[in-house]
Amino acid sequence: MSSELAFGAVVFAKDVPTLSRFYEAVLGLERLHSADDHCVLRAASGMELVVHGIPRAIADTFSISTPPERREDCALKLFFPVPSLALARARARALGGDLQGPEQEWEMRGFRACDGHDPEGNVLQLREAGLPA
C-alpha cells in the first residue's frame, strides 16, 4: 500500500448504504471499506470519496423526499469524470438520483458537463471527456 495520502471528499448521508451504492455504481468507484456509519470508495485516479453517516440525533430531525429536493443552496458542488453522461444519467435515475437532460449539458475545455444530484439531494456535476480542447 502506498504511503501517499489521496485527495478526497466526504459526503454526509442520512442513508449510508443507499448513497454508497449510488456513487459506487454511477462513478464506477471501488469499495475499499464499509461499516455501519461510513463507506470509503476510491477512483482509479486514487481520489477517495467517503460517505459518512449523519449522527442519528441530527438525521432524525429531517426527511429526504422522493424524489429528493436538490440542495442548491450548498456552498460546495463536487464534480466527477464519467465515461458516458448518458450511461451515468440512466444509472443515477435508477438509483434514486438524477442528472439533468442532454439539453442541459454544456461543453468546455475538452469535456461535456451536466449537473445533477444524488439520492439525498446533494448537487454534483458529471463530466465526460473526449471533446476537442
Side-chain angles (χ1 to χ4, degrees):
M1 178 180 233
S2 172
S3 62
E4 288 190 41
L5 296 175
F7 282 91
V10 176
V11 175
F12 289 96
K14 185 171 175 109
D15 183 340
V16 171
T18 296
L19 213 56
S20 297
R21 278 191 302 275
F22 175 85
Y23 283 107
E24 192 173 14
V26 173
L27 304 178
L29 302 178
E30 174 190 6
R31 186 176 294 237
L32 295 182
H33 173 76
S34 188
D36 289 342
D37 66 344
H38 71 280
C39 181
V40 180
L41 305 170
R42 181 180 286 164
S45 67
M47 185 263 188
E48 292 182 4
L49 182 66
V50 178
V51 178
H52 197 289
I54 297 170
R56 179 67 42 215
I58 296 170
D60 287 346
T61 67
F62 67 94
S63 60
I64 305 292
S65 61
T66 304
E69 182 177 331
R70 286 180 67 170
R71 297 179 184 159
E72 295 180 302
D73 59 352
C74 180
L76 184 67
K77 174 171 53 176
L78 302 176
F79 62 87
F80 304 98
V82 294
S84 163
L85 287 174
L87 181 58
R89 182 177 292 109
R91 286 183 180 157
R93 289 176 177 170
L95 293 165
D98 198 12
L99 193 61
Q100 293 174 331
E103 69 282 355
Q104 296 294 317
E105 295 175 4
W106 52 275
E107 298 176 5
M108 183 179 171
R109 299 188 343 246
F111 62 83
R112 177 181 300 277
C114 195
D115 290 339
H117 62 271
D118 68 22
E120 294 199 4
N122 299 303
V123 295
L124 56 87
Q125 182 179 95
L126 301 182
R127 297 176 173 185
E128 176 183 334
L131 300 173

